[in-house]
Structure formats: C-alpha cells, structure tokens
Amino acid sequence: MADLREALEQAGYGDVCTHLQSGNVVLTSRMSAKRLESELEKQLADEFGLEIQVLVRTRDQLADVIKRNPLGKVADNPSRHMVSFLSAKPAAKVVRELAKEDVAPEQFVVSGREIYAWHPDGLQRSKLAKLLSEKRLGVTATARNWNTVTKLLELADD
C-alpha cells in the first residue's frame, strides 16, 4: 500500500492514507466523486497496470452510511456485518428479485447505493453473499465489513 499512497501523493491528492492491505484509500480532493473515480482508475492503470473500477464515497456519505445502518440492532459481530458499496442503485427489478430469496437467518437491506448484509454464520457458505454478486446486481459492487467501514470514517476524520 505504500506504493499506492506514494503515487497518489505525487499526483497531488492530500491527506492520503490507506487502510491495511484492503485497497481502501482515504484522501482529499476538490474533484467531484465521479471525476475522482475516473482519475483514480486511470492512475491505477497507468501506474500499476490494474484495470479496477473505483468507487468513491465522500466523508459525509460514509458517515451517512454508518448513521442509517438498518441492521445495527441485529448484527452483533462487525466482521460478519457487511456493506456492499455500489456504483449505482440496482434496478428495481433486481431488488424485487432479491427480496423473494429465502436467505434466513441472513438478512439484507438495499438502501440507495449500498446493501447492508448480516451473515450470522459467516461468509464462507453464505447464500446471501452469492446473491450479491456484481453480475446479479447489474452494477459494480465492493463489500466491506463493518469494522472497515467505521475505521475508514475514523481515518477521514483524523
């Protein structure tokens, strides 16, 4: 992650920090989120030869994700409580199809460009995790556990 941090700093981004080896970066920029996504994708391709779709959330958007957590009273293990960050809201038809699936005891809530998921028995054999694939959702998605989500906000606030 040091190479990534250094490359982003050299590109002029401020307050760059990474979280573990997760691919999560917190930085400051005056660009819009969409432009920043595009610029970061280009930089990752140019600097590292990586073709990765980047998803950006502002500090306030991330704080809102945490604030509106609909599974907070149910999810008692932050490593099994996931948030899938999406490139766009999934189509209403996709959300309706997901709602028909029986994934109990797992639970999920689609909320805008995020899907909150609770996997009480873990992710390894999770039926729900398989349903939340990019192919099924029709949008780019990347999931982070609750520990990571809250840590990223802490880093943004430092």
Side-chain angles (χ1 to χ4, degrees):
M1 291 284 116
D3 291 345
L4 175 59
R5 211 172 25 254
E6 183 178 322
L8 294 174
E9 287 169 348
Q10 288 179 358
Y13 299 107
D15 305 312
V16 179
C17 66
T18 56
H19 179 56
L20 304 172
Q21 297 295 320
S22 64
N24 292 292
V25 177
V26 174
L27 56 78
T28 56
S29 171
R30 293 189 179 270
M31 288 183 219
S32 70
K34 281 293 178 202
R35 180 159 178 232
L36 182 58
E37 287 173 345
S38 178
E39 291 294 322
L40 290 172
E41 288 169 4
K42 183 179 180 330
Q43 188 163 11
L44 289 170
D46 292 348
E47 295 276 331
F48 304 104
L50 300 171
E51 298 294 327
I52 297 173
Q53 187 164 358
V54 173
L55 300 179
V56 170
R57 295 296 189 271
T58 67
R59 182 259 170 231
D60 290 344
Q61 289 170 332
L62 187 58
D64 186 57
V65 166
I66 292 168
K67 179 181 173 185
R68 61 187 163 90
N69 178 12
L71 299 176
K73 293 185 179 177
V74 176
D76 60 4
N77 180 338
S79 67
R80 294 180 178 191
H81 179 36
M82 306 294 289
V83 178
S84 292
F85 294 91
L86 312 177
S87 59
K89 290 181 181 180
K93 179 182 177 184
V94 171
V95 175
R96 284 192 304 272
E97 289 172 2
L98 284 172
K100 293 177 187 175
E101 297 287 343
D102 179 12
V103 294
E106 296 179 288
Q107 297 179 41
F108 71 96
V109 176
V110 179
S111 178
R113 293 188 305 149
E114 287 81 34
I115 299 176
Y116 298 83
W118 170 232
H119 308 277
D121 298 325
L123 288 166
Q124 190 170 14
R125 289 186 284 268
S126 168
K127 181 177 179 181
L128 176 57
K130 292 177 182 113
L131 294 174
L132 300 181
S133 69
E134 290 182 351
K135 183 176 181 178
R136 174 101 186 230
L137 295 172
V139 296
T140 299
T142 185
R144 299 295 183 266
N145 73 33
W146 198 250
N147 288 324
T148 298
V149 173
T150 57
K151 181 62 177 178
L152 290 172
L153 182 59
E154 285 177 29
L155 291 173
D157 284 342
D158 282 348

